[in-house]
Amino acid sequence: MQRIAVMTSGGDAPGMNAAVRAVVRKAIYHGMEVIGINRGYNGFIEGDMWPMNLGSVADIIHRGGTVLHTARSKEFTTPEGRAKAYENVERFGIQGLVVIGGDGSFKGAKVFHEEYNLPVVGVPGTIDNDIPGTDYTIGFDTAVNNVVDAINKIRDTATSHERTFVVEVMGRNAGFIALKAGLAGGAETILVPEVPFDINNICNKLMRGVKRGKLHSIIIVAEGAASGLEIGQKIKELTGFDTKVTILGHLQRGGIPTATDRVMASLLGSKAVEVLMNGHTNKVVGVRNSETIAYDLDEVFGKKKDLDTEMLELANILSI
Ligand code: F6P
């Protein structure tokens, strides 16, 4: 394989730049050329791409976001859009494609491979950590730390005013960010889409806490479990507590990537290049039990990644 292309696609995630750097430098180290595709599949369709060199990825390992920019492309979901992208595959002489993104981006890669037989490999990059088959996705660690940082700050003002705070976090249909940040932040209650909840039980727990002298309470709500605003309203109605709601939103997705995200992104980007060099296709790279692996792209679709419910149980016990 002489020339590969790399793109970032879907929601950006801190650490994507470290993955791009790893793909570019590893490929060049092995004598290949790399084309950088700007703005995900939209740039692929429009031919918004250029040759990258060692210097193209200098000074980016510590930066959040993605220097290749990203998009959620509607046009690439159509055969016409993919046909235009294939014209650019031929025009630029691309022999393999690395897609750094989430499951929606991987779906695009899979369909493209089926239609045009271009070798593809996915690198999991999403703060949601919701890709089946891998313990870890790039950006998750930074997002969790961003949430924990916010909880620490909210806790200060919550204690001062003896208030209840509901904090809504991202994660799409999964509760990984809520669970890990909730445990690390010492939240009283963590609501995740994977486990049903009863608002009366939540309020009873809050009231028990206040009775035994708690000065504040923090409830973490995964966006896929419920609306933070609605939960806050219900708690206010049922307990009469002074309840405030904070929706953390996109600040969770920004900022300097943690060392963990940078290291994992470097390992995964490098592994993706190895997969293509070894003639494999239709793969995703990931981490299982601390080992970097490659597995079939098909394993990503049609099932949901399990949440660690024992960890949720522990968080409940510790916040009694
Ligand atoms: O998939 C990453 C993510 O941040 C989700 O947690 C969230 O639901 C979604 O993207 C938000 O998407 P957008 O940035 O397009 O609003």
Side-chain angles (χ1 to χ4, degrees), residues 8 16-17 20 38 50 52 56-57 60 63-69:
T8 50
M16 278 183 163
N17 283 330
V20 172
N38 207 21
W50 74 96
M52 298 183 88
S56 315
V57 289
I60 66 168
R63 284 167 59 189
T66 161
V67 293
L68 289 181
H69 305 280

Side-chain angles (χ1 to χ4, degrees), residues 19-303:
V20 172
R21 172 181 179 268
V23 170
V24 171
R25 292 206 168 156
K26 174 90 170 198
I28 292 175
Y29 175 80
H30 287 286
M32 287 187 275
E33 294 168 13
V34 185
I35 303 290
I37 302 174
N38 207 21
R39 297 183 295 113
Y41 289 116
N42 282 345
F44 200 22
I45 290 167
E46 291 162 23
D48 185 3
M49 44 181 94
W50 74 96
M52 298 183 88
N53 56 38
L54 294 175
S56 315
V57 289
D59 215 13
I60 66 168
I61 195 166
H62 62 296
R63 284 167 59 189
T66 161
V67 293
L68 289 181
H69 305 280
T70 186
R72 303 189 200 276
S73 175
K74 281 230 159 59
E75 198 179 353
F76 198 74
T77 60
T78 68
E80 295 76 23
R82 293 192 293 274
K84 283 191 209 159
Y86 189 66
E87 282 172 20
N88 290 317
V89 168
E90 291 194 311
R91 191 168 133 224
F92 285 85
I94 294 165
Q95 296 162 337
L97 174 66
V98 178
V99 176
I100 305 167
D103 57 352
S105 308
F106 293 171
K107 209 163 278 167
K110 176 182 147 75
V111 174
F112 197 67
H113 170 75
E114 283 163 4
E115 287 175 348
Y116 296 104
N117 209 26
L118 181 75
V120 294
V121 54
V123 177
T126 163
I127 62 164
D128 302 335
N129 199 23
D130 60 348
I131 308 273
T134 177
D135 299 339
Y136 170 85
T137 64
I138 297 165
F140 175 64
D141 188 64
T142 306
V144 166
N145 279 288
N146 283 340
V147 174
V148 172
D149 183 49
I151 294 173
N152 293 341
K153 289 171 178 157
I154 284 170
R155 185 186 282 276
D156 289 344
T157 177
T159 310
S160 306
H161 286 265
E162 301 182 36
R163 277 174 172 159
T164 298
F165 265 82
V166 174
V167 180
E168 184 188 299
V169 302
M170 280 185 168
R172 206 177 284 278
N173 302 316
F176 296 99
I177 296 176
L179 173 56
K180 213 161 172 194
L183 176 58
E188 271 61 39
T189 297
I190 303 168
L191 304 185
V192 292
E194 292 84 351
V195 180
F197 64 88
D198 179 342
I199 192 75
N200 294 305
N201 292 343
I202 295 166
C203 290
N204 289 339
K205 185 175 177 186
L206 290 175
M207 289 189 287
R208 278 199 309 273
V210 167
K211 250 188 213 146
R212 73 164 180 82
K214 269 197 177 188
L215 293 180
H216 69 257
S217 296
I218 294 173
I219 294 119
I220 302 295
V221 180
E223 63 177 348
S227 141
L229 285 170
E230 281 171 23
I231 294 291
Q233 188 55 38
K234 268 265 165 255
I235 291 175
K236 208 182 273 183
E237 276 166 31
L238 294 172
T239 63
F241 292 166
D242 185 6
T243 307
K244 300 284 176 184
V245 179
T246 302
I247 298 171
L248 293 182
H250 288 80
L251 73 77
Q252 292 162 89
R253 238 163 61 184
I256 295 171
T258 60
T260 297
D261 271 329
R262 298 182 207 187
V263 170
M264 298 312 292
S266 302
L267 292 171
L268 292 173
S270 159
K271 183 81 177 176
V273 173
E274 279 169 24
V275 167
L276 289 176
M277 272 172 29
N278 292 334
H280 300 301
T281 182
N282 243 6
K283 297 279 179 196
V284 177
V285 293
V287 182
R288 255 180 240 169
N289 303 322
S290 306
E291 202 193 327
T292 311
I293 51 152
Y295 58 102
D296 287 342
L297 197 49
D298 289 333
E299 284 183 45
V300 165
F301 309 113
K303 56 182 161 195

